Amino acid sequence: MDRNQKAFQLWEQGQPTEAIELLFKEIDTHPENMDSYYNLATMLMLAQKYEDAKAVLTLANEKKANQSNILYAFGNLYYQTADYSQSIYYFSQVFKQSETVKKDAAIMLGQSYLALEQPKKALVYLLTAFQLDETDSELALLLGNAFLQTEAFKEAYTYYDLTSKLNQENNEAWFKKGLMGMVLGNEKETIEADFQKSQELNPGYYQQNLTKLEEIEAFLQANRQE
């Protein structure tokens, strides 16, 4: 077992300090192995040691510039620290140069733009990612959320519906499908069934989001009065 594998084993066993120390030793021994830098930076980010992670990635980039896995890790670092402009910069580079992680980079670009409340730009990348894998239920849910932000309710419903088919245990998808069904004027029985499914899967989530039902009902009532 090499040191990278051993480090992950230690991490999973609840020994993060030992795992990180082992990867530092591996980098000292094999300073050209980019996987070790990536793994170490990832662990440091999980430990919320962001400045240390940045130092490791900067060193890696100095050794071998513009490696896709290092650029992706930079993107993750800035995403986790809410510097979305920088995360977009790095994920864009990965998106352009690596077919292997093109889908992942596209998803992270979409999430970065969603965080910046720019859903139309997010949709460009999320739809591109979906073309690469139409079986990803979490991606379908992201698309639903992005369309919802643009008030494209029919499209949002389509992707929430798809999510519920790809993963029948996704309570969020069932709940939001019910919400969009209300907006679109779907059959009452279908809407109630969607909400019931969400409530069965996660009663806590359902209770926390009841205000959204009230907001939708108020919105529909106001429109009817107009």
Side-chain angles (χ1 to χ4, degrees):
M1 181 183 298
D2 66 24
R3 281 174 171 165
N4 278 277
Q5 291 176 315
K6 180 62 176 177
F8 278 112
Q9 187 179 77
L10 287 168
W11 184 274
E12 290 172 359
Q13 291 172 350
Q15 298 176 269
T17 301
E18 292 81 357
I20 289 170
E21 288 176 352
L22 188 60
L23 285 175
F24 271 116
K25 289 178 183 178
E26 176 62 14
I27 287 172
D28 286 339
T29 307
H30 300 102
E32 302 304 314
N33 187 341
M34 293 295 105
D35 287 340
S36 300
Y37 293 92
Y38 176 86
N39 293 336
L40 176 56
T42 298
M43 287 185 184
L44 289 168
M45 281 186 264
L46 289 170
Q48 297 185 346
K49 297 181 178 180
Y50 298 115
E51 287 303 317
D52 291 341
K54 184 178 179 180
V56 169
L57 293 173
T58 299
L59 178 61
N61 201 46
E62 289 171 355
K63 294 285 184 182
K64 291 184 181 180
N66 299 320
Q67 297 293 300
S68 294
N69 59 344
I70 300 303
L71 295 175
Y72 192 89
F74 263 122
N76 272 333
L77 171 66
Y78 287 112
Y79 183 83
Q80 290 182 34
T81 55
D83 188 344
Y84 301 117
S85 296
Q86 281 294 93
S87 70
I88 287 169
Y89 171 79
Y90 283 103
F91 287 130
S92 292
Q93 292 187 60
V94 179
F95 179 79
K96 292 174 185 175
Q97 76 180 43
S98 175
E99 290 299 320
T100 306
V101 289
K102 191 180 186 75
K103 174 198 165 187
D104 294 334
I107 291 172
M108 293 309 300
L109 281 164
Q111 290 185 309
S112 296
Y113 278 116
L114 284 176
L116 290 173
E117 297 183 354
Q118 298 180 36
K120 290 183 179 179
K121 287 185 177 180
L123 281 168
V124 172
Y125 290 101
L126 294 177
L127 287 168
T128 298
F130 195 69
Q131 289 174 351
L132 298 172
D133 181 5
E134 296 184 356
T135 65
D136 188 333
S137 63
E138 290 301 318
L139 176 52
L141 183 65
L142 273 175
L143 277 162
N145 290 339
F147 276 117
L148 179 57
Q149 284 192 32
T150 66
E151 298 186 2
F153 302 125
K154 185 176 179 180
E155 289 80 0
Y157 178 89
T158 297
Y159 282 98
Y160 291 139
D161 182 45
L162 178 59
T163 303
S164 70
K165 291 173 180 174
L166 292 171
N167 178 9
Q168 295 187 12
E169 303 302 307
N170 192 313
N171 62 283
E172 181 182 350
W174 288 104
F175 185 86
K176 290 182 175 178
K177 181 185 170 190
L179 285 180
M180 293 302 95
M182 289 175 65
V183 173
L184 296 171
N186 290 357
E187 292 183 3
K188 184 179 179 181
E189 292 78 8
T190 302
I191 295 168
E192 289 177 347
D194 291 337
F195 286 134
Q196 179 64 30
K197 182 70 173 179
S198 177
Q199 187 175 23
E200 290 172 359
L201 290 169
N202 190 333
Y205 176 90
Y206 181 82
Q207 289 296 324
Q208 289 172 6
N209 288 274
L210 280 179
T211 53
K212 292 182 180 178
L213 285 177
E214 295 168 0
E215 289 170 2
I216 292 294
E217 288 173 344
F219 169 79
L220 294 174
Q221 182 65 31
N223 282 352
R224 280 193 290 266
Q225 289 175 352
E226 291 176 5

